Amino acid sequence: MAPIKLKQSPNSAANSVASSTEARILVRETLRISANLASAPPADSVSPTFSLAESQARKLGIVENQFIDSSLRLICCEEIDGRRWNYVADNEPSGRSKNGSIRAVCLQTPQAPFEEMMSFIRSYVVPEGFPDSVTPSYVPYMTWRALKHFFGGAMGVFTTQTLLSSVGVARNKATPGAIAINWILKDGAGRVGKMLFARQGKKFDYDLKQLRFAGDLLMELGAGVELATAAAPHLFLPLACAANVAKNVGAVTSTSTRTPIYKAFAKGENIGDVTAKGECVGNIADLLGTGLSIMISKRNPSLVATFGLLSCGYVFSSYQEVRSVVLHTLNRARFNVAVESFLKTGRVPSLQKGNLNERILSFPWLKESPVVLGPRFKDAFQDAGSYLAIEPLFDREKYIVTYNHTKGKVYALLKDQAKSDDILKAAFHAHVLLHFIRSSSGGKNSSRKQGDAFSNSVPTTTNLEAPIAASCKMVSASYEIFKSQASEQGWVMAESLLNPGRARLCHR
């Protein structure tokens, strides 16, 4: 009788193919492992060697996404903060992965507790991707910022203690209602001062570093006035209100200049992350300073000596904090550094050098600059003849530059068509003219205080046209070179923060 031929179903054929494929893979991997064991150095026993090879194979995986254990299959790999993970799944006999069988296998050994703690701390105090996500000036800035907040938190304990003692809390010299009213009036005066000073908002962009440091000095002044309430408790309300006004004005400068500073540190669209981590560092340092100050206050130290020491540390840290910021835009202080370096050496300083040489103690409200940008016509010219003599030299320009020998200053008047580049060129021309005048006067300072001492050696109304004409030729030849070099050094030339006056010359 002829044998009966059974017809295989498609599923049976697929299972046969899968089984044969799995068998070939298993045989190949068995041969590979055997070859590795044969080439491995001899060991005391076979079992440890096999376990080591098996462990290594399980850790690294095998070609074609198959582990030694045929029931495990490598799905994919991923990396999180430098740590690599393998995702594996259990296989069914048919070769398919079981549902819900994916497991994660870490390829690195667990971190030590200290490293885990440091990773946790870094996640709070530094931006993601640090140090590649921020500029190099971020670290020194945050270091000095932390020190400043440390001293500030320490001083806060003594000032608060003094205020409470002066208002009568410590010695029960005032009723709770009077204490509350005095405290509310003190805080209200501070808020009024904050609102009044906030109208100076645009100046926080023009002179960021100068106003930031001035705000910190006001914070120190306010803290000193608060301590003065201990010597005159009967003047608590006026002293506390004055101190709170000063401290709130300082707080306005801090919050208003915070975003531009953090923006200078961010390399990408991570300013929110940089801001959050920077504020976290400040709060941590503030808490540490507060805790240390509480322990010191229990020993009743000298109030004046302690405040003086903490105040010196605060002011010094604040100065170094502001000085370490590297900004890319040109305000008046950084523009003066850049132009003076260009006129003396023929080179524009780098971002780091230009910011480092910027004057921080030159407060914006003190008009000591020998160059006035955008002044009134009556301040620049004393007679019509001097204006009519130099006006033709600036027919093609959107500005007019002149020198007033009685005031010892160079004035750059702006025409109503002047744009951002015209304002920058006018400021550059004014510095060139000032350089000519100082060179002709033997390098002496041309400030108003010393103007009378060498008034005979500087240009007057009658001979002003010659140096201005020479400065025009120099500006025509060197201004584009100055702009090109500044751009190569990283300075932003598309816009400037020179803060010119609002006066403009109009067509007749």
Side-chain angles (χ1 to χ4, degrees), residues 78-388:
E78 73 174 2
E79 183 176 338
I80 304 176
D81 297 330
R83 304 185 68 182
R84 295 180 62 86
W85 297 77
N86 276 352
Y87 286 89
V88 297
D90 291 333
N91 282 346
E92 295 179 350
S94 61
R96 297 179 180 177
S97 299
K98 295 180 180 180
N99 294 331
S101 63
I102 296 179
R103 291 179 294 180
V105 180
C106 182
L107 300 183
Q108 277 81 16
T109 57
Q111 290 183 335
F114 178 76
E115 294 180 353
E116 289 282 356
M117 182 180 66
M118 293 304 297
S119 298
F120 177 77
I121 294 175
R122 281 194 295 269
S123 66
Y124 277 89
V125 299
V126 296
E128 291 187 12
F130 177 85
D132 297 330
S133 60
V134 292
T135 59
S137 59
Y138 177 81
V139 174
Y141 172 81
M142 295 309 302
T143 302
W144 291 111
R145 177 176 173 80
L147 281 175
K148 185 186 77 172
H149 278 269
F150 176 82
F151 289 113
M155 284 188 298
V157 173
F158 293 100
T159 56
T160 303
Q161 187 181 38
T162 303
L163 286 173
L164 293 175
S165 177
S166 300
V167 79
V169 171
R171 290 170 289 190
N172 298 321
K173 290 187 177 180
T175 62
I179 294 173
I181 291 174
N182 286 339
W183 205 268
I184 292 173
L185 290 175
K186 171 184 74 72
D187 292 342
R191 293 188 179 95
V192 172
K194 181 185 294 186
M195 290 187 297
L196 294 177
F197 192 69
R199 69 182 298 270
Q200 308 293 331
K202 189 60 179 176
K203 294 182 180 179
F204 295 125
D205 297 316
Y206 294 139
D207 301 290
L208 184 150
K209 295 183 183 181
Q210 291 77 10
L211 285 174
R212 178 65 173 264
F213 184 64
D216 288 337
L217 292 181
L218 283 175
M219 293 286 287
E220 281 305 292
L221 177 62
V225 175
E226 286 178 344
L227 289 178
T229 59
H234 59 286
L235 298 177
F236 170 81
L237 188 57
L239 290 177
C241 288
N244 221 30
V245 168
K247 295 181 74 172
N248 276 273
V249 169
V252 169
T253 62
S254 178
T255 56
S256 301
T257 57
R258 178 178 58 191
T259 300
I261 290 177
Y262 285 139
K263 184 179 179 181
F265 296 135
K267 282 189 175 180
E269 298 298 326
N270 61 336
I271 185 173
D273 187 22
V274 173
T275 302
K277 301 303 170 56
E279 294 305 298
C280 183
V281 170
N283 290 331
I284 292 174
D286 189 277
L287 291 174
L288 292 176
T290 302
L292 177 64
S293 186
I294 290 175
M295 292 188 293
I296 294 176
S297 64
K298 293 180 179 179
R299 299 184 178 183
N300 296 322
S302 172
L303 191 61
V304 176
T306 304
F307 177 78
L309 181 63
L310 295 176
S311 181
C312 290
Y314 182 90
V315 173
F316 179 75
S317 301
S318 173
Y319 178 79
Q320 294 295 336
E321 173 200 23
V322 174
R323 195 166 178 260
S324 64
V325 179
V326 177
L327 300 176
H328 296 245
T329 51
L330 288 169
N331 67 345
R332 290 195 179 186
R334 293 186 290 276
F335 186 80
N336 293 347
V337 174
V339 176
E340 288 179 6
S341 175
F342 179 78
L343 295 177
K344 292 178 181 179
T345 66
R347 300 296 302 173
V348 176
S350 62
L351 287 173
Q352 290 73 17
K353 187 174 181 180
N355 281 268
L356 191 64
N357 293 331
E358 178 183 1
R359 290 185 61 186
I360 306 299
L361 295 175
S362 177
F363 301 118
W365 53 82
L366 300 178
K367 299 180 180 180
E368 299 176 347
S369 175
V371 173
V372 182
L373 189 61
R376 297 287 302 274
F377 181 86
K378 63 180 182 180
D379 296 329
F381 294 97
Q382 294 179 327
D383 58 85
S386 59
Y387 171 72
L388 296 175

Side-chain angles (χ1 to χ4, degrees), residues 42-59:
D44 295 338
S45 61
V46 177
S47 179
T49 306
F50 179 79
S51 300
L52 180 62
E54 183 180 7
S55 175
Q56 184 178 3
R58 287 182 181 276
K59 181 178 179 181

